[in-house]
Amino acid sequence: DRLLVETDAPFLAPVPHRGRRNAPAFVAATAARLAELRGTTVDHIAEITSANAKRLFKIGRREPGAVLLVRTEGPAPVSRLP
């Protein structure tokens, strides 16, 4: 119930991307290896880690006056949630 999958960007990209600059998209390779090690499917790992992330970061449970921060490039814009 505490399993998450992340990249260690920008360094130490997972195999098969080793030697390249790491990127968030490479998390799929990490999830695939985790599924292999645990003897389950990538879909199952995705379900578990998505539910854990939602619970940890309180995604989908908005509190009055909550602020959503979205970083693109440069300073992060701030948007108020409806």
Side-chain angles (χ1 to χ4, degrees):
D1 70 337
R2 295 186 177 146
L3 181 65
L4 297 173
V5 181
E6 65 172 337
T7 60
D8 196 15
F11 305 106
L12 197 57
V15 173
H17 308 288
R18 193 61 48 93
R20 295 173 49 194
R21 181 178 172 89
N22 202 2
F26 296 164
V27 76
T30 304
R33 178 67 175 136
L34 182 60
E36 181 182 328
L37 291 170
R38 291 184 151 234
T40 189
T41 65
V42 174
D43 287 340
H44 186 238
I45 294 297
E47 288 173 25
I48 292 169
T49 56
S50 294
N52 290 343
K54 287 176 183 177
R55 190 173 57 252
L56 176 65
F57 298 110
K58 298 180 180 161
I59 298 170
R61 296 186 308 207
R62 293 191 218 159
E63 296 179 16
V67 175
L68 173 64
L69 296 176
V70 179
R71 183 170 177 93
T72 55
E73 297 202 16
V78 176
S79 300
R80 290 236 174 246
L81 295 173

